Amino acid sequence: MLLYRFVFTYTMNRRKNYDRAKEVLLTDKTICPENRALWSEFFAWEERKLKRINNLCRLDDATYKTLRKYVGQFRNVNQWFNNKPWQDLTREDIQRVYDDLEDGVITNRYGKPYGDRKSYYTKIFKAKPFKLAGKFDITEEVFEFFRPVDNSEVNYISFPEFKSLTIASHTVIHRLLLWLAWDIGENIMSLLQLKKSDFRRQLNPDTQEPEYLVNLRKDTLKRSRTPRVELTLFTETVELLDVVLNNLSDQEFLFHFGQRQAAKIIEQCVETTGVKCQPTGNRPTFKVLRSSMCCYLLKEGWRIEDVNARLGHSPGNLTMVTRYANYLVLDKHKPKKLLSDNQLRGTKDALNDSKKVIQRYEMKFIDQKSRIDTLEQNREQTSMLIQQLINKVAGLQNSLASTNNACV
């Protein structure tokens, strides 16, 4: 109940924030009336579009977040064009702003180049706002060389590092949230909305070990995620769920706190353990646990398609999983390890060759010794025969001498 009130209040605050910001923007007398009229028309169109394409009866939290972002972007773009009516913009005006953004001449309030230029290009210049201003054809020409670049930064932690975070957590419920984030790999806001009724305990038909089926409902997920039922993978998750679910009613939430408190939980664990993301060195967040689970399963031999499905992405959206799979394949330590393995293998091969040479010499030595022993035995036998012959000859000589003496 507390979480439901939190989610409801959070959405209401988003709505009030958007309505207030939009009203301030559209009544700002320092902005030319032509642009304010154009933006008013756009907001009416965008609100209707967001409801229809998302099958909504009324705008929700995600749509208010999208709309609120337009308010700030319109103010910035209006300033870049020096409050000139967008209907009167020339190709030179648009070219100047585009070049200044790309060259870092136009900066944000921190004096740095805008990092979200793609959002301005795809949602304003090359989208409905400039279509309403009648400048879409010009922007198509000006942005001829624009190529969208997805965020390719990789952030993850290893399984032992994750376990150290769970050990540093203070309570069972905190530890469960961490394990669910790693095990199920869903968005933190979706995990915080899980109820006891979303879990069903069963025995694995192959191992006969206990596991849970986790129902990830559409109303709890981000719009881009697929509603699904996932199996828990880790014994620790099952053990913690056994403890927590035992004291809850069917429709009761597992977690009675919001996203901000969840962020504090993982921040405290990170502070205690000093765990950092690979390869960037950033601080781990719940979003990093999701990508870390992805890397862990890929290393364990899961197929890219299976990992993608567990993350709730559509079959055609393999961008994130492929990016991490490619990174793991191109792991910088692998070539170094391969070099070391090759050097060790070379040393082992040389040692084996030396052993073979020694074995051949040993065999030759044994063969020679055997021959020598045989010759020695033959020599002794020959000596004995010669001695016997000598003895016989001596005996014959003695007999012959005796006979001669007798005759005389």
Side-chain angles (χ1 to χ4, degrees):
M1 189 64 184
L2 287 173
L3 184 59
Y4 172 78
R5 281 203 294 267
F6 167 78
V7 174
F8 177 77
T9 302
Y10 191 70
T11 302
M12 289 299 295
N13 288 340
R14 275 271 173 84
R15 175 182 176 180
K16 290 178 180 178
N17 183 276
Y18 162 64
D19 288 340
R20 182 167 56 250
K22 181 178 72 169
E23 182 181 1
V24 171
L25 176 72
L26 299 181
T27 58
D28 189 343
K29 301 299 182 182
T30 65
I31 299 174
C32 67
E34 293 87 350
N35 285 347
R36 285 186 282 137
L38 185 148
W39 299 340
S40 179
E41 182 181 357
F42 169 79
F43 282 123
W45 177 86
E46 184 70 11
E47 289 173 15
R48 183 174 182 275
K49 183 197 81 171
L50 289 173
K51 286 196 294 185
R52 294 297 168 260
I53 66 174
N54 295 305
N55 298 316
L56 299 173
C57 297
R58 60 184 64 83
L59 296 173
D60 60 6
D61 175 64
T63 54
Y64 283 124
K65 181 180 179 181
T66 299
L67 290 165
R68 176 62 182 85
K69 190 172 182 179
Y70 276 111
V71 175
Q73 289 180 329
F74 284 163
R75 282 193 177 277
N76 289 336
V77 176
N78 187 67
Q79 183 179 359
W80 298 341
F81 288 115
N82 299 315
N83 198 29
K84 185 175 182 178
W86 288 6
Q87 293 92 331
D88 299 336
L89 294 176
T90 65
R91 190 185 193 286
E92 290 70 25
D93 292 330
I94 299 173
Q95 183 73 61
R96 174 186 59 79
V97 168
Y98 175 46
D99 289 342
D100 286 350
L101 281 168
E102 289 298 301
D103 295 338
V105 176
I106 296 177
T107 57
N108 58 24
R109 58 181 176 175
Y110 303 107
K112 297 182 179 180
Y114 277 85
D116 60 344
R117 297 190 301 276
K118 173 186 172 183
S119 178
Y120 283 95
Y121 299 161
T122 58
K123 294 183 178 181
I124 297 179
F125 290 102
K126 295 167 62 65
K128 189 68 174 180
F130 268 53
K131 282 185 178 180
L132 293 175
K135 302 300 175 183
F136 185 77
D137 292 339
I138 296 177
T139 56
E140 281 290 292
E141 295 178 10
V142 171
F143 287 79
E144 176 185 3
F145 304 117
F146 166 65
R147 298 290 183 274
V149 178
D150 292 324
N151 177 22
S152 58
E153 185 176 70
V154 171
N155 274 304
Y156 73 98
I157 61 175
S158 67
F159 185 53
E161 289 172 328
F162 163 72
K163 293 189 76 171
S164 71
L165 294 180
T166 65
I167 294 172
S169 58
H170 288 162
T171 66
V172 170
I173 199 67
H174 292 174
R175 194 169 298 122
L176 173 59
L177 181 59
L178 291 168
W179 272 105
L180 281 174
W182 177 278
D183 196 328
I184 305 302
E186 249 309 330
N187 175 273
I188 182 60
M189 201 60 195
S190 300
L191 296 177
L192 292 174
Q193 297 180 68
L194 289 172
K195 302 176 182 179
K196 180 178 180 178
S197 58
D198 293 322
F199 295 86
R200 182 163 66 87
R201 197 178 194 273
Q202 66 177 25
L203 293 180
N204 184 290
D206 298 319
T207 65
Q208 294 303 306
E209 294 292 328
E211 62 187 8
Y212 275 92
L213 289 168
V214 184
N215 181 27
L216 300 169
R217 294 172 281 115
K218 181 178 180 180
D219 59 307
T220 66
L221 299 176
K222 292 177 66 174
R223 198 164 288 121
S224 60
R225 302 278 163 75
T226 304
R228 61 202 187 279
V229 175
E230 295 291 353
L231 286 169
T232 55
L233 302 177
F234 297 93
T235 303
E236 291 87 346
T237 311
V238 174
E239 293 173 348
L240 290 166
L241 283 170
D242 285 343
V243 173
V244 173
L245 294 177
N246 186 51
N247 300 317
L248 300 179
S249 60
D250 284 348
Q251 296 305 311
E252 189 174 353
F253 291 103
L254 272 68
F255 308 103
H256 298 282
F257 49 82
Q259 189 172 4
R260 182 172 297 180
Q261 180 61 29
K264 290 181 179 179
I265 291 170
I266 194 169
E267 285 174 4
Q268 177 269 321
C269 295
V270 170
E271 189 70 28
T272 302
T273 59
V275 171
K276 294 183 179 180
C277 295
Q278 302 177 42
T280 61
N282 294 339
R283 293 171 64 89
T285 63
F286 276 105
K287 185 176 181 180
V288 169
L289 296 189
R290 173 177 164 83
S291 56
S292 300
M293 180 270 280
C294 168
C295 288
Y296 174 79
L297 295 181
L298 289 171
K299 286 184 175 181
E300 289 296 305
W302 280 44
R303 295 168 59 247
I304 288 178
E305 292 79 8
D306 294 333
V307 177
N308 195 61
R310 188 168 183 85
L311 291 173
H313 291 159
S314 61
N317 183 14
L318 296 170
T319 305
M320 173 185 168
V321 182
T322 303
R323 182 170 76 241
Y324 277 87
N326 289 339
Y327 175 80
L328 293 175
V329 170
L330 297 174
D331 187 350
K332 301 300 182 182
H333 287 93
K334 286 189 176 180
K336 183 176 181 180
K337 184 177 183 300
L338 181 61
L339 177 62
S340 176
D341 290 345
N342 288 338
Q343 291 174 339
L344 180 61
R345 189 178 297 110
T347 302
K348 287 182 177 179
D349 291 343
L351 180 60
N352 289 333
D353 291 341
S354 299
K355 287 181 177 179
K356 290 178 181 179
V357 171
I358 292 173
Q359 287 175 351
R360 286 198 295 269
Y361 278 112
E362 286 179 346
M363 292 177 65
K364 286 183 179 180
F365 174 78
I366 293 172
D367 183 60
Q368 292 292 337
K369 186 175 183 301
S370 177
R371 290 182 180 183
I372 292 171
D373 290 342
T374 301
L375 290 173
E376 184 66 25
Q377 290 177 358
N378 293 337
R379 185 185 66 78
E380 290 178 355
Q381 291 176 356
T382 302
S383 297
M384 289 176 62
L385 289 173
I386 291 173
Q387 186 62 45
Q388 289 175 359
L389 287 174
I390 293 172
N391 292 337
K392 286 183 179 182
V393 170
L396 289 172
Q397 288 177 342
N398 291 334
S399 297
L400 182 61
S402 299
T403 302
N404 290 332
N405 293 330
C407 290
V408 171

